[in-house]
Amino acid sequence: MATFALNDDSVVVVVGSGAGGGTLATDLALKGIKVVCLEAGKRYEAEDFINDEWESFAQLAWTDQRMTSGSWRVARDFAQLPAWIVKAVGGSTTHWAGASLRFQEHEFKARTTYGNVAGANLIDWPLTLADLAPYYDRAEDRMGVTRTHGIPGLPGSNNFKVFEAGAKKIGYKDVHTGRMAINSQPRQGRGACQQIGFCFQGCKSGAKWSTLNAELPRGEATGKLEVRPQSHVFKIEHDQKGKVTGVLYYDKDGKEQRQKARAVAVAGNSIESPRLLLNSHSAMFPNGLANSSGQVGRNYMRHMTGSVYAVFDKPVKMWRGTTMAGIIQDEAHHDTKRGFVAGYELETLSLGLPFMAAFLDPGAWGREFTTALDSYENMAGMWIVGEDMPQEKNRITLHASAKDKYGIPVANVHFDDHPNDIAMRAHAYRQGSAIYEAAGATRSFPTTPYPSTHNLGTNRMSDKARDGVVNKYGQTHDIKNLFVSDGSQFTTGAAENPTLTIVALAIRQAEYIADQMAKNVI
Amino acid sequence: MDTTNQEEHRPDDLGRRHFLLSASAIAAMAVSGNALIHTSEAWGLEATGLKPETMRTLVKMARDIFPHDKIADKFYALAVKTYDEKAAKDAKLKSLIESGVAELDGFAREKYKTVYAGVGWERDRVNLLRRIQTGGLFKKLRGDLVVSLYNQKEVWPAFGYEGESASKGGYVNRGFSDITWL
């Protein structure tokens, strides 16, 4: 593995090693560009991962303090844990469930398709499905997405079979075991899924794609990529011309370091990325870097989510096998006859007993709650993921007083559901319950959203500089050699799990950065 | 957990407090000296940081907050045992717990002429808990129990949950798809 000097200003610094940062860092290295990837978390490999929900949470989750506000229930139940994401090499690709869906064509044109939705800050993406299609194709190939590139689907688990039976009974047609970045057969040096469960806790068999097991090692093998764990970037520096020159970070010993850079790509997820840009304010950029539009941190989206669990009179044992084992796509389209714009996906989900106790109905107690858990073995579960409306007031800000252990202001995450989100969730709860009732459920539980796993939109892409933070390549409108490479660049959230799109955008961005460097534009 | 043998404590040693407890039909968890003795489950717990009566109340509260009839008292006791250890070193915690329990017992005496743990019906105890559910003790206890009760590996089999599976090769050949009743 390469190592680069702190004062080497010819390197590209990538902040974060998840879906966006890990892919970008790897692709740049494969193109011969020197990259230092600074990752705040530690490096754990497959053998280090733990099949135990709380132990694994302590190992992998980003638990540094964050604050919350707004009317969302997470602010009450998990006031300092707005998001359930990862602080480790590989970022949240260690934790993700593997669902890899392309956005639909109309979802790139949210403003045009949905019209003027009151209270929503909608714009169209500055790119189309056709623009992204070749990159989706490459992303699916390298991630080994099932049901693409001739890769068979995964077999259906018990949780999927219950879900499928109910779905078919109520007339849904588009039901299958998903397009998953989990090997259904050995591929690219990684084995087939062992149906371990615990996908959220890091895949111990390596069947699930992550930047940790599939991208970064390839990048490192080129000798052009240095992944530096336990390196928490807190400020991006710039020169008098307004070009970025490097980053300041705290190393594993808590010592401040400066890594110089030719360009910087920020991929710290939609909470840390805007936090970093805002904390990088200077005399020249008093409101933070790349923030001439005032949009840095705004339009925070988390998907319209929720879950439906249900109990049956016989065992399901939903924890056996992949955490997310199948999908219903019949509600993913846009059809205002349902009383809302945009659509949602239904995807099976299971939690182990410890997390079920924590998340089924946070704050609940007494027999209504415990009789649900008494039927845990007979329980099936699904997750709802739908497009939520971007709202300017939903935003990441720097908290006025709370600071991290280094004395850097922490992020506050403000979120209120939009009426469209609420209408869509109510519809999805009804449909989810109907599915399970059709399969014979005796009781169902419309379960409140968990701390956010999909964090999106806080440095959004826009055609016009005044509407967003980055252009269609993730390059900031204000600073040519500063990029955003994670889900925070999403203009809108679409109904689909975001990782595939983040990876596709990163592959595309790597080409653009290499091209701009070759032309000496950056 | 301490395994104080109940045989060592003859009735003469137990005094008035024990008499009251027996009289209020909570003999399964008796207080003897500084110990909490569970006669039917044959375990004991020596209280050091908190009063033994307080520990008994916490065990009862734990069950009433998350009642699972198939889970023995022992697991609720294990879930709250750390409070006793922590309270020995943390005066603030000790005061939160002791005063919270005193308040709860006060409400119980007002209505039922006995301490909380002596109230016979769960429904009545739950109504007492509702009176304190916005208070510090209840919120702390409920919040901690979500982990300290349900994260005990020994209780998982009662729910059918199988825990770790990687070392067994996952479920690919062990029933991930064995449902037959659909």
Side-chain angles (χ1 to χ4, degrees):
Chain A
M1 191 175 96
T3 53
F4 297 106
L6 289 166
N7 62 3
D8 185 343
D9 60 6
S10 67
V11 303
V12 173
V13 162
V14 178
V15 181
S17 64
T23 303
L24 175 68
T26 297
D27 264 21
L28 290 174
L30 289 169
K31 292 175 197 304
I33 294 165
K34 292 187 286 184
V35 182
V36 174
C37 181
L38 298 171
E39 164 56 53
K42 293 180 183 171
R43 189 165 189 152
Y44 302 100
E45 301 296 345
E47 61 269 25
D48 304 319
F49 293 144
I50 308 165
N51 271 197
D52 181 293
E53 289 177 316
W54 282 117
E55 261 190 79
S56 174
F57 186 83
Q59 179 186 54
L60 296 177
W62 187 291
T63 52
D64 296 6
Q65 190 183 28
R66 287 168 173 154
M67 308 300 273
T68 50
S69 58
S71 57
W72 58 326
R73 190 170 151 182
V74 167
R76 183 190 84 192
D77 297 329
F78 303 99
Q80 296 188 359
L81 190 76
W84 178 7
I85 50 180
V86 170
K87 183 176 183 178
V89 173
S92 295
T93 66
T94 60
H95 161 82
W96 77 311
S100 303
L101 305 168
R102 296 185 183 198
F103 285 9
Q104 303 166 75
E105 189 167 11
H106 73 267
E107 289 170 332
F108 289 96
K109 300 170 188 161
R111 177 63 179 83
T112 301
T113 311
Y114 308 147
N116 181 23
V117 178
N121 190 24
L122 285 169
I123 55 173
D124 290 349
W125 285 63
L127 48 75
T128 65
L129 178 60
D131 292 331
L132 208 53
Y135 299 95
Y136 271 140
D137 194 61
R138 285 160 61 183
E140 286 162 346
D141 184 33
R142 66 202 269 178
M143 296 163 78
V145 176
T146 58
R147 292 191 165 79
T148 74
H149 298 268
I151 303 167
L154 286 155
S157 67
N158 291 338
N159 201 22
F160 171 72
K161 287 177 174 177
V162 173
F163 174 82
E164 180 189 37
K168 296 239 160 111
K169 277 190 181 145
I170 69 162
Y172 284 143
K173 305 270 187 272
D174 198 358
V175 188
H176 54 80
T177 60
R179 278 181 271 283
M180 306 297 289
I182 298 177
N183 280 348
S184 54
Q185 56 193 24
R187 192 170 191 273
Q188 291 175 353
R190 292 182 292 112
C193 176
Q194 301 300 299
Q195 300 289 345
I196 292 168
F198 297 100
C199 300
F200 284 171
Q201 283 70 36
C203 179
K204 288 188 75 69
S205 81
K208 184 184 81 178
W209 175 92
S210 69
T211 53
L212 175 73
N213 68 15
E215 302 298 327
L216 297 168
R218 284 204 302 149
E220 288 169 325
T222 66
K224 297 288 183 183
L225 168 61
E226 179 187 353
V227 179
R228 215 175 282 166
Q230 293 181 272
S231 302
H232 192 133
V233 178
F234 65 95
K235 192 178 177 76
I236 301 167
E237 296 188 309
H238 63 82
D239 62 16
Q240 289 174 341
K241 292 182 206 145
K243 268 181 66 177
V244 301
T245 55
V247 300
L248 296 175
Y249 69 94
Y250 289 103
D251 69 12
K252 61 183 183 348
D253 304 315
K255 240 180 87 184
E256 188 176 319
Q257 304 286 359
R258 172 180 286 113
Q259 175 65 54
K260 293 201 169 168
R262 178 169 169 181
V264 173
V266 180
N269 207 304
S270 283
I271 298 175
E272 291 307 309
S273 289
R275 177 189 175 212
L276 175 58
L277 294 178
L278 294 170
N279 269 326
S280 299
H281 60 81
S282 63
M284 187 184 278
F285 300 111
N287 299 318
L289 292 191
N291 198 20
S292 64
S293 63
Q295 293 288 309
V296 169
R298 292 189 186 271
N299 313 303
Y300 171 68
M301 296 172 287
R302 61 184 305 262
H303 270 145
M304 184 291 295
T305 73
S307 305
V308 179
Y309 293 95
V311 295
F312 298 81
D313 59 350
K314 296 190 186 69
V316 178
K317 302 181 193 284
M318 67 171 169
W319 64 87
R320 291 184 173 183
T322 55
T323 300
M324 191 165 278
I327 189 165
I328 298 167
Q329 302 205 270
D330 295 77
E331 300 286 0
H333 61 295
H334 165 63
D335 172 10
T336 54
K337 284 207 284 292
R338 293 173 298 181
F340 51 86
V341 302
Y344 62 88
E345 313 271 357
L346 298 170
E347 300 169 346
T348 76
L349 191 78
S350 71
L351 296 177
L353 181 79
F355 274 13
M356 188 58 73
F359 293 123
L360 178 65
D361 188 7
W365 59 282
R367 284 199 185 255
E368 184 181 13
F369 176 73
T370 56
T371 52
L373 292 182
D374 281 337
S375 295
Y376 174 75
E377 192 173 10
N378 296 7
M379 196 178 270
M382 71 172 82
W383 194 53
I384 304 159
V385 52
E387 178 162 2
D388 59 341
M389 290 295 108
Q391 300 178 75
E392 277 206 306
K393 63 177 182 169
N394 285 346
R395 63 190 290 209
I396 311 304
T397 52
L398 300 178
H399 194 268
S401 56
K403 295 191 165 56
D404 68 12
K405 64 179 174 179
Y406 306 116
I408 312 295
V410 306
N412 185 78
V413 183
H414 180 95
F415 189 83
D416 300 308
D417 277 313
H418 186 278
N420 196 74
D421 308 343
I422 294 169
M424 190 192 290
R425 184 177 295 115
H427 189 272
Y429 278 155
R430 277 198 302 278
Q431 293 308 107
S433 300
I435 288 164
Y436 285 139
E437 278 158 26
T442 54
R443 194 174 161 197
S444 62
F445 310 94
T447 297
T448 190
Y450 314 128
S452 316
T453 51
H454 298 172
N455 298 274
L456 305 167
T458 52
N459 296 303
R460 73 178 182 180
M461 271 189 190
S462 63
D463 186 30
K464 297 189 181 74
R466 66 165 189 265
D467 291 333
V469 180
V470 300
N471 68 15
K472 63 182 174 179
Y473 296 105
Q475 181 179 36
T476 64
H477 288 302
D478 297 353
I479 301 173
K480 272 194 159 42
N481 66 340
L482 177 61
F483 294 81
V484 174
S485 316
D486 57 18
S488 70
Q489 46 179 335
F490 282 22
T491 306
T492 50
E496 290 74 24
N497 310 58
T499 300
L500 179 73
T501 301
I502 295 172
V503 172
L505 289 171
I507 295 170
R508 186 168 180 269
Q509 184 180 62
E511 281 185 1
Y512 179 77
I513 291 175
D515 174 70
Q516 296 291 295
M517 286 174 72
K519 290 178 182 155
N520 268 318
V521 183
I522 56 174
Chain B
M1 177 153 315
D2 301 306
T3 50
T4 311
N5 187 341
Q6 200 217 355
E7 296 297 304
E8 289 170 16
H9 300 273
R10 285 174 292 119
D12 307 351
D13 303 334
L14 298 178
R16 182 178 158 272
R17 214 159 42 192
H18 181 258
F19 171 74
L20 279 178
L21 289 171
S22 302
S24 50
I26 33 178
M29 275 194 289
V31 166
S32 166
N34 63 352
L36 179 62
I37 313 285
H38 200 296
T39 52
S40 58
E41 292 179 17
W43 54 264
L45 173 66
E46 196 183 354
T48 54
L50 295 166
K51 290 188 237 167
E53 293 88 347
T54 299
M55 287 307 293
R56 185 192 61 211
T57 306
L58 289 176
V59 174
K60 199 76 181 165
M61 286 174 77
R63 177 179 287 288
D64 290 336
I65 290 171
F66 292 127
H68 293 286
D69 299 339
K70 56 190 173 185
I71 303 294
D73 280 341
K74 178 174 80 169
F75 299 107
Y76 291 99
L78 277 169
V80 299
K81 188 170 170 265
T82 54
Y83 291 133
D84 181 62
E85 292 150 17
K86 284 184 185 154
K89 295 170 219 150
D90 182 344
K92 245 173 92 179
L93 176 70
K94 182 172 175 164
S95 146
L96 175 84
I97 294 172
E98 294 287 10
S99 65
V101 165
E103 186 190 21
L104 183 62
D105 279 341
F107 290 142
R109 281 201 192 88
E110 220 172 77
K111 190 145 188 199
Y112 303 105
K113 313 290 178 218
T114 182
V115 293
Y116 172 83
V119 175
W121 281 92
E122 179 184 314
R123 176 190 56 216
D124 296 331
R125 293 193 305 274
V126 163
N127 282 332
L128 293 169
L129 286 179
R130 288 216 175 93
R131 295 184 64 174
I132 64 158
Q133 70 177 340
T134 55
L137 171 63
F138 183 92
K139 276 163 55 179
K140 177 162 182 55
L141 185 56
R142 198 216 66 83
D144 291 346
L145 277 170
V146 170
V147 180
S148 62
L149 177 63
Y150 296 109
N151 205 34
Q152 292 181 50
K153 289 186 172 65
E154 296 74 18
V155 311
W156 292 350
F159 296 93
Y161 181 54
E162 297 169 289
E164 184 275 334
S165 86
S167 72
K168 300 167 191 140
Y171 293 103
V172 69
N173 298 311
R174 293 192 314 123
F176 82 100
S177 187
D178 64 357
I179 201 162
T180 53
W181 54 263
L182 275 168

